[in-house]
Amino acid sequence: MTNQTDPTGDVRLTGISKTYGAFTAVHPLDLTVPQGSFFALLGASGCGKTTTLRMIAGLEEPSSGTVFLGDQDVTALPPYKRPVNTVFQSYALFPHLDIFENVAFGLRRRGWKSVKKQVEEMLDLVQLGEQARKKPHQLSGGQQQRVAVARALINHPKVLLLDEPLGALDLKLRRQMQLELKRIQTEVGITFIHVTHDQEEAMTMADTVAVMNAGRVEQLGTPADLYENPRTTFVANFLGTSNFIEAEVDSKSGDDIVLKAGGGKLLLPEARCGAPTTTGGKVLVGVRPEKISLTHADDAGEIPEGRNRITGRIADSSFIGVSTQYVVDSPVCADFEVYAQNLDRDPRLVPGAEVVLHWNPAHTFGLDATQDADAGVEEAA
Ligand SMILES: Nc1ncnc2c1ncn2[C@@H]1O[C@H](COP(=O)(O)OP(=O)(O)OP(=O)(O)O)[C@@H](O)[C@H]1O
Ligand SMILES: [Mg+2]
Protein backbone atom coordinates (compact mmCIF):
# COMPACT_ATOMS: atom_id res chain seq x y z
CA MET A 1 0.00 0.00 0.00
CA THR A 2 1.27 3.43 -0.88
CA ASN A 3 -1.58 5.16 0.90
CA GLN A 4 -0.05 7.40 3.48
CA THR A 5 -1.79 8.73 6.51
CA ASP A 6 0.17 11.98 6.52
CA PRO A 7 -2.61 14.59 6.75
CA THR A 8 -0.35 17.33 5.43
CA GLY A 9 -1.10 16.23 1.89
CA ASP A 10 -4.85 15.76 2.07
CA VAL A 11 -7.04 17.76 -0.30
CA ARG A 12 -9.82 19.29 1.77
CA LEU A 13 -12.78 21.14 0.35
CA THR A 14 -15.00 22.91 2.86
CA GLY A 15 -18.27 24.47 1.77
CA ILE A 16 -16.97 24.86 -1.77
CA SER A 17 -19.61 25.88 -4.31
CA LYS A 18 -19.95 27.41 -7.76
CA THR A 19 -22.82 29.37 -9.17
CA TYR A 20 -23.18 30.87 -12.63
CA GLY A 21 -25.81 33.59 -12.31
CA ALA A 22 -28.91 31.88 -10.98
CA PHE A 23 -27.57 28.40 -11.81
CA THR A 24 -25.75 26.35 -9.20
CA ALA A 25 -23.20 24.04 -10.83
CA VAL A 26 -21.79 22.79 -7.51
CA HIS A 27 -23.73 23.01 -4.25
CA PRO A 28 -21.71 23.67 -1.05
CA LEU A 29 -19.52 20.62 -0.79
CA ASP A 30 -17.32 19.18 1.95
CA LEU A 31 -14.86 16.59 0.74
CA THR A 32 -11.57 15.17 1.97
CA VAL A 33 -9.27 13.29 -0.39
CA PRO A 34 -6.59 11.53 1.68
CA GLN A 35 -2.99 11.90 0.54
CA GLY A 36 -1.86 9.06 -1.66
CA SER A 37 -5.32 7.87 -2.57
CA PHE A 38 -6.80 7.26 -5.99
CA PHE A 39 -10.04 9.16 -5.81
CA ALA A 40 -12.74 9.24 -8.50
CA LEU A 41 -15.43 11.85 -9.07
CA LEU A 42 -18.12 9.93 -10.92
CA GLY A 43 -21.29 11.30 -12.43
CA ALA A 44 -23.31 12.01 -15.55
CA SER A 45 -22.60 14.84 -17.95
CA GLY A 46 -23.19 18.27 -16.42
CA CYS A 47 -23.24 17.16 -12.76
CA GLY A 48 -20.32 19.42 -11.82
CA LYS A 49 -17.25 17.16 -11.97
CA THR A 50 -15.04 19.42 -14.10
CA THR A 51 -16.13 22.49 -12.17
CA THR A 52 -15.09 20.82 -8.90
CA LEU A 53 -11.74 19.78 -10.38
CA ARG A 54 -11.08 23.26 -11.78
CA MET A 55 -11.71 24.78 -8.35
CA ILE A 56 -9.07 22.44 -6.89
CA ALA A 57 -6.66 23.40 -9.66
CA GLY A 58 -7.33 27.12 -9.25
CA LEU A 59 -8.70 27.47 -12.77
CA GLU A 60 -12.14 28.39 -11.44
CA GLU A 61 -12.88 30.74 -8.56
CA PRO A 62 -15.31 29.21 -6.04
CA SER A 63 -18.45 31.20 -5.19
CA SER A 64 -18.00 30.13 -1.58
CA GLY A 65 -15.81 27.86 0.51
CA THR A 66 -12.18 26.99 0.94
CA VAL A 67 -9.68 24.67 -0.73
CA PHE A 68 -6.98 23.28 1.55
CA LEU A 69 -3.92 21.33 0.54
CA GLY A 70 -2.85 19.85 3.83
CA ASP A 71 -2.94 22.78 6.25
CA GLN A 72 -2.44 25.37 3.55
CA ASP A 73 -5.42 27.42 2.38
CA VAL A 74 -4.79 27.68 -1.36
CA THR A 75 -8.15 29.21 -2.31
CA ALA A 76 -6.58 32.53 -3.32
CA LEU A 77 -3.50 31.05 -5.02
CA PRO A 78 -3.20 31.09 -8.81
CA PRO A 79 -2.92 27.67 -10.49
CA TYR A 80 0.84 27.79 -11.04
CA LYS A 81 1.46 28.36 -7.33
CA ARG A 82 -0.48 25.26 -6.31
CA PRO A 83 1.32 21.90 -6.03
CA VAL A 84 -1.22 20.50 -8.46
CA ASN A 85 -1.07 19.42 -12.11
CA THR A 86 -3.91 18.60 -14.46
CA VAL A 87 -4.19 16.13 -17.33
CA PHE A 88 -7.09 16.92 -19.62
CA GLN A 89 -8.96 14.80 -22.12
CA SER A 90 -7.13 16.51 -24.97
CA TYR A 91 -3.56 15.92 -23.87
CA ALA A 92 -2.35 19.03 -25.70
CA LEU A 93 1.20 17.79 -26.23
CA PHE A 94 3.55 20.17 -28.05
CA PRO A 95 3.46 18.81 -31.60
CA HIS A 96 6.84 20.20 -32.68
CA LEU A 97 8.72 18.79 -29.65
CA ASP A 98 9.68 15.14 -29.37
CA ILE A 99 8.48 13.00 -26.46
CA PHE A 100 11.61 13.61 -24.41
CA GLU A 101 11.25 17.38 -24.73
CA ASN A 102 7.52 17.27 -24.03
CA VAL A 103 8.24 15.54 -20.72
CA ALA A 104 11.25 17.80 -19.98
CA PHE A 105 9.19 20.95 -20.55
CA GLY A 106 8.25 21.65 -16.93
CA LEU A 107 11.83 21.27 -15.71
CA ARG A 108 13.32 23.38 -18.49
CA ARG A 109 10.83 26.15 -17.80
CA ARG A 110 12.04 26.22 -14.23
CA GLY A 111 15.57 26.64 -15.48
CA TRP A 112 16.88 23.11 -14.99
CA LYS A 113 20.02 22.46 -17.04
CA SER A 114 20.39 18.68 -16.74
CA VAL A 115 17.08 16.93 -17.10
CA LYS A 116 18.18 13.64 -18.66
CA LYS A 117 17.97 11.47 -15.54
CA GLN A 118 14.56 12.77 -14.47
CA VAL A 119 13.05 12.53 -17.94
CA GLU A 120 14.37 9.02 -18.49
CA GLU A 121 12.96 7.91 -15.15
CA MET A 122 9.57 9.33 -16.08
CA LEU A 123 9.61 7.72 -19.53
CA ASP A 124 10.47 4.39 -17.89
CA LEU A 125 7.62 4.85 -15.43
CA VAL A 126 5.12 5.20 -18.27
CA GLN A 127 6.98 2.59 -20.36
CA LEU A 128 7.91 4.88 -23.22
CA GLY A 129 11.70 4.76 -22.90
CA GLU A 130 11.97 3.53 -26.49
CA GLN A 131 9.85 6.31 -27.91
CA ALA A 132 11.81 9.30 -26.55
CA ARG A 133 12.76 10.72 -29.93
CA LYS A 134 9.40 10.36 -31.63
CA LYS A 135 6.99 13.22 -32.18
CA PRO A 136 3.52 13.06 -30.59
CA HIS A 137 1.76 12.33 -33.93
CA GLN A 138 3.87 9.17 -34.27
CA LEU A 139 2.38 7.69 -31.09
CA SER A 140 -0.92 5.94 -30.44
CA GLY A 141 -3.63 7.63 -28.37
CA GLY A 142 -2.74 5.61 -25.30
CA GLN A 143 0.95 6.42 -25.65
CA GLN A 144 0.22 10.13 -26.04
CA GLN A 145 -1.91 9.95 -22.96
CA ARG A 146 0.96 8.43 -21.01
CA VAL A 147 3.26 11.23 -22.22
CA ALA A 148 0.75 13.71 -20.82
CA VAL A 149 0.83 11.90 -17.47
CA ALA A 150 4.66 11.84 -17.46
CA ARG A 151 4.78 15.53 -18.35
CA ALA A 152 2.56 16.32 -15.37
CA LEU A 153 4.24 13.96 -12.91
CA ILE A 154 7.77 15.24 -13.58
CA ASN A 155 6.82 18.41 -11.70
CA HIS A 156 6.28 16.25 -8.60
CA PRO A 157 2.85 17.67 -7.83
CA LYS A 158 1.23 16.67 -4.55
CA VAL A 159 -1.96 16.07 -6.46
CA LEU A 160 -2.60 15.01 -10.04
CA LEU A 161 -6.00 15.94 -11.44
CA LEU A 162 -7.25 13.90 -14.39
CA ASP A 163 -10.31 15.10 -16.28
CA GLU A 164 -11.66 12.25 -18.43
CA PRO A 165 -8.11 11.53 -19.63
CA LEU A 166 -9.18 8.32 -21.36
CA GLY A 167 -12.26 9.74 -23.05
CA ALA A 168 -10.70 9.86 -26.51
CA LEU A 169 -9.56 6.23 -26.48
CA ASP A 170 -11.43 3.23 -27.79
CA LEU A 171 -12.82 0.77 -25.29
CA LYS A 172 -10.01 -1.80 -25.37
CA LEU A 173 -7.26 0.78 -25.03
CA ARG A 174 -9.21 2.54 -22.32
CA ARG A 175 -9.38 -0.65 -20.25
CA GLN A 176 -5.63 -1.14 -20.72
CA MET A 177 -4.88 2.44 -19.72
CA GLN A 178 -7.07 2.17 -16.62
CA LEU A 179 -4.81 -0.56 -15.27
CA GLU A 180 -1.73 1.32 -16.44
CA LEU A 181 -2.73 4.54 -14.66
CA LYS A 182 -3.55 2.57 -11.54
CA ARG A 183 -0.07 1.00 -11.65
CA ILE A 184 1.59 4.40 -12.10
CA GLN A 185 -0.37 5.87 -9.20
CA THR A 186 0.58 2.96 -6.94
CA GLU A 187 4.21 3.36 -7.94
CA VAL A 188 4.50 7.12 -7.36
CA GLY A 189 2.06 7.29 -4.42
CA ILE A 190 0.78 10.74 -5.44
CA THR A 191 -2.88 11.61 -4.86
CA PHE A 192 -4.85 11.16 -8.09
CA ILE A 193 -8.27 12.78 -8.47
CA HIS A 194 -9.85 11.27 -11.54
CA VAL A 195 -13.02 12.58 -13.18
CA THR A 196 -15.11 10.18 -15.22
CA HIS A 197 -18.70 9.43 -16.20
CA ASP A 198 -17.85 5.73 -16.68
CA GLN A 199 -18.82 3.75 -13.58
CA GLU A 200 -16.72 0.75 -14.53
CA GLU A 201 -13.70 2.99 -14.94
CA ALA A 202 -14.22 4.57 -11.53
CA MET A 203 -14.72 1.19 -9.87
CA THR A 204 -11.66 -0.38 -11.54
CA MET A 205 -9.26 2.39 -10.65
CA ALA A 206 -10.29 4.22 -7.52
CA ASP A 207 -9.88 3.45 -3.81
CA THR A 208 -12.71 5.86 -3.11
CA VAL A 209 -15.49 7.01 -5.42
CA ALA A 210 -17.67 10.08 -4.92
CA VAL A 211 -20.88 9.74 -6.91
CA MET A 212 -22.07 13.19 -8.02
CA ASN A 213 -25.60 14.06 -9.06
CA ALA A 214 -26.77 17.54 -10.04
CA GLY A 215 -24.00 19.41 -8.26
CA ARG A 216 -23.97 17.31 -5.09
CA VAL A 217 -22.02 14.31 -3.86
CA GLU A 218 -24.74 11.75 -3.42
CA GLN A 219 -22.60 9.04 -1.81
CA LEU A 220 -18.94 8.40 -1.16
CA GLY A 221 -17.24 5.10 -0.48
CA THR A 222 -15.15 2.24 -1.74
CA PRO A 223 -16.38 0.72 -5.01
CA ALA A 224 -17.59 -2.42 -3.21
CA ASP A 225 -19.37 -0.41 -0.52
CA LEU A 226 -21.18 1.76 -3.07
CA TYR A 227 -22.18 -1.28 -5.06
CA GLU A 228 -23.36 -3.43 -2.15
CA ASN A 229 -24.82 -0.68 0.02
CA PRO A 230 -26.23 2.08 -2.16
CA ARG A 231 -28.10 4.63 -0.10
CA THR A 232 -30.16 6.14 -2.90
CA THR A 233 -31.86 4.79 -6.00
CA PHE A 234 -29.64 7.08 -8.07
CA VAL A 235 -26.48 5.36 -6.80
CA ALA A 236 -28.11 1.91 -7.03
CA ASN A 237 -28.98 2.49 -10.69
CA PHE A 238 -25.94 4.51 -11.76
CA LEU A 239 -23.51 1.87 -10.50
CA GLY A 240 -24.62 -1.34 -12.14
CA THR A 241 -28.22 -2.48 -12.30
CA SER A 242 -30.73 -2.83 -9.46
CA ASN A 243 -34.18 -4.37 -9.21
CA PHE A 244 -36.70 -2.65 -6.97
CA ILE A 245 -39.85 -4.01 -5.39
CA GLU A 246 -42.23 -1.72 -3.55
CA ALA A 247 -43.05 -3.37 -0.23
CA GLU A 248 -44.72 -2.58 3.07
CA VAL A 249 -43.29 -3.12 6.55
CA ASP A 250 -45.19 -5.94 8.23
CA SER A 251 -43.24 -6.93 11.35
CA LYS A 252 -39.81 -7.73 12.74
CA SER A 253 -38.17 -11.10 13.10
CA GLY A 254 -34.83 -11.07 14.91
CA ASP A 255 -32.46 -8.81 12.97
CA ASP A 256 -34.73 -8.83 9.93
CA ILE A 257 -37.66 -6.75 8.85
CA VAL A 258 -40.52 -8.74 7.37
CA LEU A 259 -42.04 -6.99 4.35
CA LYS A 260 -45.20 -7.64 2.38
CA ALA A 261 -44.97 -7.49 -1.40
CA GLY A 262 -47.78 -8.74 -3.61
CA GLY A 263 -49.12 -11.76 -1.79
CA GLY A 264 -45.77 -12.81 -0.37
CA LYS A 265 -43.25 -11.90 2.29
CA LEU A 266 -39.64 -10.76 1.94
CA LEU A 267 -36.91 -10.52 4.57
CA LEU A 268 -34.57 -7.55 4.78
CA PRO A 269 -31.75 -7.23 7.35
CA GLU A 270 -32.67 -4.18 9.43
CA ALA A 271 -29.07 -2.97 9.24
CA ARG A 272 -29.38 -2.78 5.45
CA CYS A 273 -32.53 -0.69 5.47
CA GLY A 274 -32.25 3.04 4.85
CA ALA A 275 -35.98 3.69 5.20
CA PRO A 276 -38.19 4.13 8.27
CA THR A 277 -39.25 0.71 9.54
CA THR A 278 -42.54 1.52 11.24
CA THR A 279 -45.29 -1.00 10.49
CA GLY A 280 -47.21 -0.06 7.38
CA GLY A 281 -44.33 2.09 6.07
CA LYS A 282 -43.25 1.73 2.46
CA VAL A 283 -39.79 0.46 1.52
CA LEU A 284 -38.14 0.03 -1.87
CA VAL A 285 -36.57 -3.41 -1.67
CA GLY A 286 -33.45 -3.63 -3.85
CA VAL A 287 -31.56 -6.64 -5.12
CA ARG A 288 -28.77 -6.91 -7.71
CA PRO A 289 -29.34 -9.15 -10.77
CA GLU A 290 -26.36 -11.43 -10.10
CA LYS A 291 -27.53 -12.25 -6.57
CA ILE A 292 -30.69 -13.92 -7.84
CA SER A 293 -31.17 -17.59 -8.76
CA LEU A 294 -33.75 -18.72 -11.24
CA THR A 295 -35.59 -22.02 -10.75
CA HIS A 296 -38.25 -23.47 -13.03
CA ALA A 297 -41.64 -23.37 -11.27
CA ASP A 298 -41.90 -27.20 -11.48
CA ASP A 299 -38.85 -27.47 -9.22
CA ALA A 300 -39.93 -24.80 -6.71
CA GLY A 301 -39.99 -27.45 -3.96
CA GLU A 302 -36.20 -27.80 -4.20
CA ILE A 303 -35.49 -24.18 -3.22
CA PRO A 304 -33.96 -24.10 0.26
CA GLU A 305 -35.91 -22.59 3.14
CA GLY A 306 -35.16 -19.07 4.26
CA ARG A 307 -34.57 -17.50 0.85
CA ASN A 308 -36.51 -14.53 -0.43
CA ARG A 309 -38.64 -15.64 -3.35
CA ILE A 310 -40.99 -14.17 -5.92
CA THR A 311 -42.67 -15.77 -8.89
CA GLY A 312 -42.71 -14.61 -12.48
CA ARG A 313 -42.48 -15.51 -16.14
CA ILE A 314 -39.39 -15.14 -18.33
CA ALA A 315 -40.04 -12.35 -20.82
CA ASP A 316 -36.66 -12.33 -22.50
CA SER A 317 -33.27 -13.98 -22.31
CA SER A 318 -29.94 -13.13 -23.88
CA PHE A 319 -26.97 -15.43 -23.90
CA ILE A 320 -23.78 -13.38 -23.57
CA GLY A 321 -21.17 -16.08 -23.06
CA VAL A 322 -20.13 -15.93 -19.42
CA SER A 323 -23.73 -15.43 -18.36
CA THR A 324 -27.30 -15.39 -19.51
CA GLN A 325 -29.31 -12.28 -18.77
CA TYR A 326 -32.99 -12.83 -18.16
CA VAL A 327 -35.81 -10.32 -17.97
CA VAL A 328 -38.65 -11.66 -15.84
CA ASP A 329 -42.13 -10.24 -15.48
CA SER A 330 -43.37 -10.58 -11.95
CA PRO A 331 -46.55 -9.36 -10.30
CA VAL A 332 -44.40 -7.33 -7.87
CA CYS A 333 -42.03 -5.87 -10.45
CA ALA A 334 -42.06 -5.69 -14.23
CA ASP A 335 -38.74 -6.23 -15.96
CA PHE A 336 -36.87 -7.96 -13.16
CA GLU A 337 -33.28 -8.54 -14.29
CA VAL A 338 -31.45 -11.75 -13.43
CA TYR A 339 -27.88 -12.63 -14.46
CA ALA A 340 -27.14 -16.33 -14.32
CA GLN A 341 -23.60 -17.62 -14.66
CA ASN A 342 -23.35 -20.27 -17.35
CA LEU A 343 -22.72 -23.38 -15.27
CA ASP A 344 -25.44 -25.94 -15.89
CA ARG A 345 -28.00 -24.33 -18.12
CA ASP A 346 -31.57 -25.52 -17.56
CA PRO A 347 -33.01 -25.83 -21.11
CA ARG A 348 -36.50 -25.09 -19.76
CA LEU A 349 -35.48 -21.52 -18.85
CA VAL A 350 -36.71 -19.86 -22.03
CA PRO A 351 -39.13 -16.99 -22.66
CA GLY A 352 -42.61 -17.94 -21.47
CA ALA A 353 -41.40 -20.27 -18.69
CA GLU A 354 -42.89 -19.86 -15.22
CA VAL A 355 -40.08 -19.39 -12.71
CA VAL A 356 -39.30 -18.66 -9.11
CA LEU A 357 -36.67 -15.99 -8.40
CA HIS A 358 -34.93 -16.51 -5.08
CA TRP A 359 -32.00 -15.02 -3.20
CA ASN A 360 -30.30 -14.82 0.15
CA PRO A 361 -32.07 -12.13 2.25
CA ALA A 362 -28.61 -10.83 3.27
CA HIS A 363 -28.24 -9.56 -0.32
CA THR A 364 -31.31 -7.37 -0.04
CA PHE A 365 -31.10 -3.63 0.61
CA GLY A 366 -33.91 -1.26 1.55
CA LEU A 367 -34.33 2.35 0.43
CA ASP A 368 -36.72 5.17 1.19
CA ALA A 369 -39.78 4.64 -1.02
CA THR A 370 -40.37 8.35 -1.57
CA GLN A 371 -37.57 8.32 -4.18
CA ASP A 372 -37.96 7.68 -7.87
CA ALA A 373 -37.04 4.01 -8.35
CA ASP A 374 -35.68 4.85 -11.82
CA ALA A 375 -33.40 7.73 -10.79
CA GLY A 376 -30.02 7.41 -12.47
CA VAL A 377 -31.13 4.77 -14.98
CA GLU A 378 -30.95 7.07 -18.01
CA GLU A 379 -27.75 8.76 -16.86
CA ALA A 380 -26.01 5.40 -16.55
CA ALA A 381 -27.04 4.32 -20.03
N1 LIG B 1 -18.75 29.07 -17.54
C1 LIG B 1 -19.96 28.57 -17.33
N2 LIG B 1 -21.07 29.33 -17.39
C2 LIG B 1 -22.29 28.83 -17.14
N3 LIG B 1 -22.53 27.53 -16.85
C3 LIG B 1 -21.47 26.71 -16.78
C4 LIG B 1 -20.15 27.17 -17.01
N4 LIG B 1 -19.30 26.12 -16.85
C5 LIG B 1 -20.07 25.06 -16.54
N5 LIG B 1 -21.37 25.41 -16.50
C6 LIG B 1 -22.50 24.51 -16.18
O1 LIG B 1 -22.25 23.89 -14.94
C7 LIG B 1 -22.67 22.53 -14.96
C8 LIG B 1 -21.54 21.63 -14.56
O2 LIG B 1 -20.56 21.66 -15.55
P1 LIG B 1 -19.29 20.71 -15.50
O3 LIG B 1 -18.42 21.07 -16.66
O4 LIG B 1 -18.69 20.78 -14.15
O5 LIG B 1 -19.95 19.29 -15.74
P2 LIG B 1 -19.27 17.85 -15.85
O6 LIG B 1 -19.80 17.03 -14.74
O7 LIG B 1 -17.81 17.98 -15.95
O8 LIG B 1 -19.89 17.30 -17.21
P3 LIG B 1 -19.21 16.46 -18.43
O9 LIG B 1 -19.21 15.03 -18.01
O10 LIG B 1 -20.14 16.70 -19.57
O11 LIG B 1 -17.84 17.03 -18.67
C9 LIG B 1 -23.21 22.28 -16.36
O12 LIG B 1 -24.62 22.36 -16.33
C10 LIG B 1 -22.62 23.39 -17.19
O13 LIG B 1 -23.47 23.74 -18.25
MG1 LIG C 1 -16.43 17.63 -17.51
Side-chain angles (χ1 to χ4, degrees), residues 18 20 50-51 54-62 75 79 82:
K18 183 71 192 179
Y20 296 105
T50 295
T51 306
R54 288 173 60 84
M55 291 193 284
I56 298 171
L59 298 165
E60 200 78 67
E61 191 186 340
T75 318
R82 300 185 185 199

Side-chain angles (χ1 to χ4, degrees), residues 317-371:
S317 82
S318 15
F319 176 78
I320 57 158
V322 291
S323 66
T324 302
Q325 305 196 343
Y326 297 94
V327 179
V328 178
D329 271 337
S330 158
V332 296
C333 169
D335 301 338
F336 221 86
E337 296 212 37
V338 179
Y339 303 160
Q341 228 190 314
N342 279 328
L343 296 168
D344 307 304
R345 277 154 51 76
D346 181 343
R348 295 171 299 168
L349 296 181
V350 292
E354 299 288 340
V355 291
V356 179
L357 312 175
H358 52 102
W359 66 92
N360 182 345
H363 293 147
T364 317
F365 55 91
L367 301 179
D368 196 319
T370 55
Q371 306 171 73

Side-chain angles (χ1 to χ4, degrees), residues 40-102:
L41 278 175
L42 170 69
S45 181
C47 73
K49 305 180 296 293
T50 295
T51 306
T52 304
L53 209 66
R54 288 173 60 84
M55 291 193 284
I56 298 171
L59 298 165
E60 200 78 67
E61 191 186 340
S63 307
S64 71
T66 313
V67 180
F68 289 98
L69 275 170
D71 294 331
Q72 193 191 6
D73 178 349
V74 299
T75 318
L77 289 186
Y80 63 90
K81 286 201 176 152
R82 300 185 185 199
V84 172
N85 270 103
T86 310
V87 176
F88 297 99
Q89 177 174 347
S90 55
Y91 332 119
L93 300 178
F94 304 114
H96 55 288
L97 297 181
D98 67 16
I99 301 316
F100 185 98
E101 286 304 325
N102 262 280

Side-chain angles (χ1 to χ4, degrees), residues 77-334:
L77 289 186
Y80 63 90
K81 286 201 176 152
R82 300 185 185 199
V84 172
N85 270 103
T86 310
V87 176
F88 297 99
Q89 177 174 347
S90 55
Y91 332 119
L93 300 178
F94 304 114
H96 55 288
L97 297 181
D98 67 16
I99 301 316
F100 185 98
E101 286 304 325
N102 262 280
V103 174
F105 183 80
L107 299 183
R108 294 224 193 274
R109 197 178 49 176
R110 280 185 279 140
W112 286 46
K113 291 284 179 291
S114 74
V115 299
K116 192 161 183 289
K117 184 164 168 287
Q118 278 74 14
V119 173
E120 281 175 354
E121 269 174 24
M122 271 304 146
L123 287 175
D124 281 346
L125 176 72
V126 299
Q127 299 181 338
L128 288 176
E130 310 288 303
Q131 319 283 349
R133 292 303 163 195
K134 283 191 178 169
K135 293 280 175 62
H137 75 269
Q138 294 169 307
L139 298 187
S140 73
Q143 289 169 332
Q144 291 183 38
Q145 204 274 339
R146 280 182 278 161
V147 176
V149 170
R151 190 177 58 170
L153 284 177
I154 204 163
N155 300 317
H156 289 289
K158 278 196 167 160
V159 182
L160 187 68
L161 306 175
L162 302 119
D163 194 353
E164 306 260 6
L166 311 180
L169 308 180
D170 68 38
L171 188 66
K172 188 152 173 256
L173 195 50
R174 189 145 32 115
R175 297 273 172 265
Q176 241 171 304
M177 282 303 302
Q178 288 166 5
L179 302 176
E180 184 69 355
L181 275 180
K182 178 79 191 163
R183 177 191 65 77
I184 292 170
Q185 192 272 338
T186 309
E187 217 165 303
V188 296
I190 289 172
T191 311
F192 277 32
I193 304 181
H194 181 97
V195 159
T196 178
H197 62 266
D198 179 339
Q199 49 113 357
E200 215 174 299
E201 180 164 308
M203 302 236 280
T204 310
M205 300 171 81
D207 312 317
T208 307
V209 179
V211 183
M212 286 190 78
N213 179 22
R216 291 189 168 85
V217 169
E218 188 128 338
Q219 192 174 345
L220 184 146
T222 64
D225 183 40
L226 292 172
Y227 187 80
E228 303 295 351
N229 307 302
R231 285 202 300 267
T232 62
T233 53
F234 181 88
V235 174
N237 291 322
F238 195 76
L239 273 88
T241 299
S242 295
N243 296 297
F244 286 110
I245 303 165
E246 216 177 86
E248 190 182 308
V249 177
D250 179 71
S251 56
K252 280 184 193 159
S253 162
D255 293 334
D256 291 329
I257 305 165
V258 183
L259 298 146
K260 284 191 293 193
K265 300 249 163 94
L266 297 170
L267 293 179
L268 165 66
E270 189 164 10
R272 290 175 57 80
C273 186
T277 56
T278 40
T279 303
K282 295 267 191 285
V283 175
L284 276 177
V285 174
V287 59
R288 298 288 193 179
E290 75 282 5
K291 309 282 202 252
I292 303 170
S293 302
L294 210 55
T295 298
H296 194 273
D298 291 349
D299 298 340
E302 294 167 16
I303 301 169
E305 282 298 305
R307 288 172 69 80
N308 279 335
R309 59 176 78 198
I310 59 173
T311 57
R313 175 183 287 136
I314 296 178
D316 192 22
S317 82
S318 15
F319 176 78
I320 57 158
V322 291
S323 66
T324 302
Q325 305 196 343
Y326 297 94
V327 179
V328 178
D329 271 337
S330 158
V332 296
C333 169

